[in-house]
């Protein structure tokens, strides 16, 4: 568990807040309703001084050093958009002896090794629950509750905007652009929404969660991912015929060799599975452990107050000097990421010429309309990892409900089919 120091339990937290957008303003309002936290915002650093804001003018500054060099401020909360300035702020804050709470997924995913080093070097807390599934306390659960050895798999919807868009398109029959616009208006989408739509936000969050789940510290560039940009209405028709939902799913699974398979890709989800009930901006996480079997976490994954609630909870945890101990990283043997497995997948496309049929172990179903064609087959995962044909030319790849097939299973199935053929 995090370290508890009783005499500091009611210590006063004086906050310097960076960013007053959807999350920053949400936090400002939420803090006004939670006096029990004994936390106040002393100053807010913003980029554009001229914008009208719903808070007293004297609270704001555009000079980051006013916050970073103020010795009374003992907590920096950083909820800005740009990743590099965020890293600079967080580093300086930790080095200046302040605890930090951050919601910057991209910054954390891209700078995890440096952030781990800074935490060790300074002994200060760096908490980031809002950088994973917004209101769902998944990081703290992975940190505190699940032992690496017992954690068999995690499967999650970690991006609210794409889940919102898929729900609006396929259930409410909105077109993609209208659904995206609505996600932006409701404050779910990133300021550059292609980060959501093309899967970058989800893989950044997955990078953060892999560190807390398994101690794996990997750059997001090394994790296979895609977003929902290639999903077509015809894919939704196939999903409906097969009684599936289409979701953008992040998953990690312990393979028989003890290594970890991890990726973020669209997937067909059976309609009786918990993740199929996750609609709109909600997120969901299914954790499978050796003895408990499956557990399901569900909650709002985007939006002002749900995200602010995670920041608020991290601020509250600082009262008793909570910090992540990264037990899986520092006190366990860290499992490697591994790509030596196969995936069963649906692929729809405009023309057969875009599909390297010879790369498939087998194709078990195919369908060809003049307009759109699809197949369901089994590919080595390395074909997905090392090539990009499956993202190009209007090709849409959606994994099957149980997509991971291990090498031994492929060999068993091949042997069986040769026996059946009398060879
Ligand atoms: N754009 C993000 C999402 C916001 O849609 O999930 C919450 O991290």
């Amino acid at each position: 568990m995090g370290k508890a120091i009783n005499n500091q339990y009611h210590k006063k937290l004086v906050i310097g807040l960076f960013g007053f957008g959807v999350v920053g303003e949400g936090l400002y309002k939420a803090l006004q309703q939670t006096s029990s936290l004994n936390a106040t915002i002393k100053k807010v650093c913003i980029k554009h001084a001229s914008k009208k804001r719903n808070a007293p003018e004297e609270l704001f500054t555009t000079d980051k050093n006013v916050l970073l060099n103020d010795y009374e401020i003992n907590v920096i909360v950083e909820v800005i958009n740009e990743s590099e300035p965020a890293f600079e702020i967080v580093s300086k804050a930790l080095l200046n002896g302040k605890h930090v709470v951050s919601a910057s997924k991209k910054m954390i995913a891209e700078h995890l090794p440096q952030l781990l080093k800074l935490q060790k070097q300074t002994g200060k807390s760096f908490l980031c629950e809002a950088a994973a599934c917004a209101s769902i306390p998944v990081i703290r659960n992975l940190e505190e509750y699940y032992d690496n050895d017992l954690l068999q798999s995690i499967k999650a919807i970690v991006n609210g905007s794409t889940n919102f868009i898929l729900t609006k398109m396929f259930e409410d029959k909105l077109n993609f652009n209208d659904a995206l616009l609505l996600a932006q208006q409701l404050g779910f989408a990133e300021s550059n929404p292609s980060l959501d739509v093309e899967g970058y936000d989800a893989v950044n969050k997955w990078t953060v969660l892999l560190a807390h789940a398994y101690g794996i510290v990997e750059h997001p560039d090394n994790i296979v991912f895609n977003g929902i940009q290639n999903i077509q209405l015809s894919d939704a028709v196939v999903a409906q015929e097969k009684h599936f939902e289409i979701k953008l799913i992040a998953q990690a699974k312990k393979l028989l060799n003890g290594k970890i398979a991890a990726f973020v890709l669209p997937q067909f989800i059976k309609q009786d599975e918990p993740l199929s009930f996750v609609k709109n901006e909600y997120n969901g996480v299914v954790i499978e452990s050796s003895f408990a079997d499956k557990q399901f976490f569900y909650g709002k994954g985007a939006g002002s107050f749900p995200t602010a609630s995670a920041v608020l909870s991290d601020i509250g945890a600082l009262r008793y000097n909570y910090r992540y101990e990264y037990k899986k990283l520092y006190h366990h043997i860290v499992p490697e990421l591994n790509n030596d497995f196969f995936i069963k997948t649906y692929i729809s496309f405009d023309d057969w010429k875009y599909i390297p049929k010879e790369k498939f172990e087998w194709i078990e179903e195919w369908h060809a309309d003049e307009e759109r064609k699809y197949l369901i087959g089994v590919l080595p995962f390395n074909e997905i990892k090392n090539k990009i044909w499956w993202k190009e030319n209007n090709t849409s790849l959606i994994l099957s409900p149980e997509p991971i097939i291990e090498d031994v299973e492929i060999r068993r199935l091949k042997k069986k089919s040769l026996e059946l053929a009398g060879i």
Side-chain angles (χ1 to χ4, degrees):
M1 285 294 288
K3 294 187 172 65
I5 299 173
N6 286 335
N7 59 4
Q8 298 207 1
Y9 198 79
H10 292 293
K11 78 174 177 189
K12 176 138 182 67
L13 300 173
V14 182
I15 297 169
L17 172 63
F18 281 84
F20 206 73
V22 171
V23 183
E25 189 174 350
L27 176 70
Y28 174 74
K29 288 183 186 155
L31 263 176
Q32 287 175 328
Q33 293 168 43
T34 41
S35 54
S36 62
L37 266 189
N38 202 15
T40 49
I41 296 177
K42 183 172 178 189
K43 212 74 185 166
V44 183
C45 184
I46 37 127
K47 203 165 149 190
H48 303 291
S50 53
K51 250 193 206 170
K52 182 96 196 77
R53 294 185 166 85
N54 298 320
E57 215 172 290
E58 59 276 14
L59 201 59
F60 296 96
T61 175
T62 52
D63 180 356
K64 61 177 189 279
N65 291 320
V66 169
L67 283 66
L68 292 169
N69 295 334
D70 183 330
Y71 289 102
E72 201 197 353
I73 290 177
N74 51 12
V75 179
I76 291 293
V77 175
E78 176 282 305
V79 289
I80 68 172
N81 271 322
E82 300 93 348
S83 164
E84 290 312 309
F87 180 62
E88 211 181 297
I89 290 160
V90 166
S91 311
K92 185 89 190 289
L94 288 168
L95 289 168
N96 281 5
K98 301 179 193 309
H99 298 299
V100 174
V101 176
S102 168
S104 296
K105 308 85 43 121
K106 188 168 184 291
M107 179 277 285
I108 302 167
E110 287 172 353
H111 293 283
L112 201 48
Q114 294 112 299
L115 289 169
L116 289 167
K117 206 166 145 209
L118 278 166
Q119 287 167 83
K120 264 195 166 171
Q121 183 187 339
T122 62
K124 293 291 154 189
S125 301
F126 172 79
L127 303 180
C128 58
E129 191 62 71
C133 294
S135 74
I136 309 177
V138 61
I139 294 183
R140 245 188 276 172
N141 270 293
L142 289 170
E143 271 290 315
E144 307 302 338
Y145 191 83
Y146 298 96
D147 201 87
N148 186 4
D149 296 341
L150 302 178
L151 198 62
Q152 294 306 317
S153 69
I154 326 174
K155 196 165 160 183
I157 292 168
V158 294
N159 181 269
S161 300
T162 45
N163 203 51
F164 180 87
I165 293 168
L166 290 173
T167 308
K168 292 294 171 223
M169 279 172 68
F170 299 146
E171 293 189 13
D172 302 347
K173 309 296 171 209
L174 245 61
N175 69 40
F176 178 89
N177 288 334
D178 289 345
L180 172 59
L181 187 66
L182 202 52
Q184 289 176 294
Q185 286 166 346
L186 292 166
F188 304 150
E190 300 298 299
S191 36
N192 169 6
S194 61
L195 290 175
D196 296 297
V197 171
E198 294 172 22
Y200 293 97
D201 182 72
V203 78
N204 287 334
K205 289 168 174 166
W206 207 231
T207 305
V208 177
L209 287 178
L210 282 174
H212 293 283
Y214 290 110
I216 292 174
V217 178
E218 194 68 61
H219 195 278
D221 288 352
N222 297 330
I223 296 172
V224 171
F225 75 95
N226 201 8
I228 62 166
Q229 70 276 22
N230 295 345
I231 297 175
Q232 316 255 332
L233 277 176
S234 64
D235 299 334
V237 173
V238 176
Q240 207 166 28
E241 281 166 13
K242 293 180 181 295
H243 307 289
F244 296 151
E245 303 281 334
I246 301 173
K247 299 284 183 192
L248 182 60
I249 301 289
Q251 58 193 294
K253 185 179 178 198
K254 196 169 270 183
L255 300 170
L256 293 170
N257 61 14
K259 297 177 181 177
I260 305 294
F263 44 84
V264 179
L265 290 167
Q267 187 173 336
F268 287 137
I269 297 291
K270 289 184 190 153
Q271 280 172 351
D272 58 356
E273 275 208 33
L275 290 177
S276 83
F277 304 118
V278 178
K279 307 279 181 185
N280 292 311
E281 79 275 25
Y282 281 79
N283 284 182
V285 186
V286 174
I287 293 180
E288 190 170 1
S289 68
S290 300
F291 303 114
D293 207 343
K294 287 184 183 166
Q295 291 159 310
F296 177 47
F297 298 76
Y298 171 76
K300 286 194 171 169
S304 180
F305 284 123
T307 313
S309 84
V311 176
L312 204 60
S313 176
D314 281 349
I315 292 171
L318 289 175
R319 282 178 309 173
Y320 47 95
N321 285 0
Y322 177 78
R323 63 173 180 253
Y324 304 141
E325 290 181 41
Y326 293 93
K327 294 187 205 65
K328 322 290 172 62
L329 175 60
Y330 296 130
H331 306 300
H332 282 261
I333 295 169
V334 177
E336 278 173 44
L337 274 188
N338 185 254
N339 301 316
D340 292 330
F341 59 93
F342 295 79
I343 47 157
K344 186 164 165 181
T345 187
Y346 159 100
I347 295 178
S348 72
F349 45 95
D350 291 339
D351 198 306
W352 285 101
K353 70 180 180 207
Y354 300 127
I355 306 299
K357 294 191 280 296
E358 71 288 354
K359 300 288 183 197
F360 284 80
E361 288 298 308
W362 67 81
I363 292 175
E364 60 185 48
E365 192 178 330
W366 61 272
H367 185 89
D369 265 349
E370 208 163 296
E371 290 286 291
R372 195 83 182 146
K373 298 146 185 65
Y374 76 80
L375 61 79
I376 296 172
V378 173
L379 275 173
F381 187 71
N382 271 315
E383 180 63 22
I384 300 293
K385 168 116 179 95
N386 301 328
K387 307 280 174 57
I388 51 167
W389 57 263
W390 55 276
K391 283 188 179 188
E392 293 177 324
N393 297 309
N394 212 20
T395 303
S396 162
L397 177 145
I398 303 174
L399 295 180
S400 295
E402 300 295 338
I404 296 175
I405 307 181
E406 300 215 35
D407 198 36
V408 284
E409 178 71 352
I410 293 277
R411 275 189 266 128
R412 191 186 64 76
L413 290 167
K414 275 186 176 167
K415 190 163 167 250
K416 198 169 154 202
S417 69
L418 288 176
E419 279 166 9
L420 286 173
I423 299 169

